[in-house]
C-alpha cells in the first residue's frame, strides 16, 4: 500500500537528484506545473515561447539541470493532456491558456511557503484553492466545489474536526493535490508523467 505522501516524495526524489542541497524542497525550488487539454503542442509552444525545433527526449529527473543550463522546459503529452514543467504564472495566465474551450490545471509552490491549485476552463477560473488549507473560505472561482466529487478519499490540511487527531502534513496535502490532477486528467501521475520519458524544449530565441 502506498504512503499518503507517495506522490510528493516521488516528485521530490525525481527532481532533486544527487549533488543538490539535501535541504532543498519544492517551495525553495519554486515548483510550478501546468496540464492543458484541448491545445495542440504548436499553440502551446507559442504561448510558452518554446522552440519546437529543439525538442529532445527527456525524463523529468533531468529537467532541472537542463533548465538551469539553457532554460529548457519539460513537456509531456498523455491522454489528450499536455504537461509543462516549469510553467510559471497562474491565475489570469492559466485562464488565458484555456480560452477557446480548453481546460487546464495548475499547481504552484513558491519560496514564501504559498501553494496554489487551480482549475480553469474556457477562459474562466472554475476553482482555486490552497492545497494546504482548502477550507470553504479559501476556495474561489465560478464553481468552488466543482471538483469535490473527485476529492473523495484525499486528505488536505483543513480545519475540520476529523483531522485534528490525525493532522495532515504538507507533503500529504501536496500528494492529494497531485492525485486530484491525476483524477481530472484520468492518468497515472507517477507512471505516465513523473517516471516516463517525454521531451525538453528550449526557449525560442
Amino acid at each position: 500500500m502506498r504512503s499518503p505522501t507517495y506522490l510528493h516524495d516521488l516528485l521530490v526524489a525525481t527532481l532533486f537528484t544527487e549533488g543538490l542541497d539535501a535541504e532543498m524542497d519544492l517551495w525553495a525550488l519554486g515548483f510550478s506545473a501546468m496540464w492543458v487539454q484541448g491545445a495542440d503542442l504548436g499553440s502551446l509552444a507559442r504561448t510558452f515561447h518554446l522552440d519546437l525545433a529543439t525538442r529532445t527526449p527527456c525524463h523529468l529527473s533531468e529537467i532541472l539541470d537542463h533548465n538551469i543550463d539553457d532554460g529548457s522546459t519539460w513537456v509531456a503529452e498523455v491522454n489528450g493532456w499536455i504537461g509543462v514543467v516549469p510553467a510559471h504564472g497562474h491565475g489570469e495566465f492559466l485562464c488565458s491558456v484555456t480560452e477557446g474551450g480548453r481546460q487546464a490545471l495548475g499547481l504552484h509552490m513558491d519560496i514564501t511557503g504559498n501553494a496554489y491549485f487551480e482549475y480553469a476552463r474556457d477562459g474562466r477560473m472554475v476553482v482555486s484553492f490552497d492545497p494546504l488549507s482548502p477550507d470553504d473560505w479559501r476556495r474561489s472561482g465560478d464553481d468552488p466545489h466543482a471538483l469535490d466529487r473527485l476529492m473523495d478519499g484525499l486528505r488536505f490540511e483543513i480545519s475540520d474536526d476529523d483531522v485534528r487527531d490525525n493532522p495532515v502534513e504538507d507533503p500529504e496535502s501536496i500528494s492529494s493535490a497531485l492525485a486530484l490532477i491525476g483524477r481530472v486528467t484520468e492518468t497515472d501521475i507517477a507512471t505516465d508523467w513523473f517516471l516516463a520519458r517525454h521531451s525538453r524544449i528550449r526557449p525560442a530565441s
Side-chain angles (χ1 to χ4, degrees):
M1 186 174 180
R2 288 180 174 177
S3 160
T5 65
Y6 171 71
L7 289 175
H8 166 274
D9 297 343
L10 177 62
L11 179 58
V12 170
T14 300
L15 288 174
F16 300 127
T17 53
E18 64 276 1
L20 291 175
D21 188 343
E23 299 301 316
M24 182 71 76
D25 61 23
L26 296 174
W27 284 265
L29 174 66
F31 177 77
S32 61
M34 188 180 297
W35 288 261
V36 183
Q37 185 189 54
D40 61 82
L41 186 57
S43 64
L44 278 188
R46 291 189 293 273
T47 298
F48 287 95
H49 307 291
L50 302 175
D51 180 0
L52 286 180
T54 67
R55 188 177 184 185
T56 305
C58 180
H59 284 91
L60 184 60
S61 60
E62 303 168 310
I63 195 57
L64 186 56
D65 286 340
H66 288 296
N67 182 261
I68 292 171
D69 289 343
D70 59 22
S72 286
T73 295
W74 188 76
V75 179
E77 299 176 85
V78 182
N79 196 32
W81 289 81
I82 298 177
V84 182
V85 180
H88 300 300
H90 56 93
E92 291 185 5
F93 177 74
L94 186 77
C95 289
S96 71
V97 171
T98 68
E99 291 178 354
R102 301 168 181 169
Q103 57 181 333
L105 297 150
L107 179 62
H108 308 271
M109 286 163 272
D110 63 34
I111 60 174
T112 62
N114 294 315
Y116 309 90
F117 174 95
E118 296 172 313
Y119 170 58
R121 184 175 58 229
D122 202 18
R124 301 180 67 85
M125 185 64 68
V126 178
V127 57
S128 174
F129 63 78
D130 176 352
L132 306 184
S133 186
D135 304 61
D136 287 351
W137 67 273
R138 289 183 180 269
R139 298 194 203 190
S140 60
D142 289 352
D143 187 0
H145 296 280
L147 300 181
D148 282 8
R149 63 183 177 81
L150 295 176
M151 295 170 71
D152 185 47
L154 301 178
R155 281 168 34 98
F156 297 89
E157 182 56 70
I158 57 178
S159 58
D160 293 344
D161 291 339
D162 62 346
V163 297
R164 291 185 177 176
D165 294 332
N166 186 18
V168 183
E169 302 297 336
D170 289 356
E172 184 175 355
S173 292
I174 297 302
S175 282
S176 293
L178 291 167
L180 180 56
I181 290 168
R183 292 178 181 184
V184 174
T185 59
E186 298 182 323
T187 61
D188 186 313
I189 288 292
T191 302
D192 293 337
W193 303 96
F194 294 171
L195 299 177
R197 188 171 74 160
H198 291 288
S199 302
R200 62 180 171 89
I201 306 175
R202 296 202 300 270
S205 56

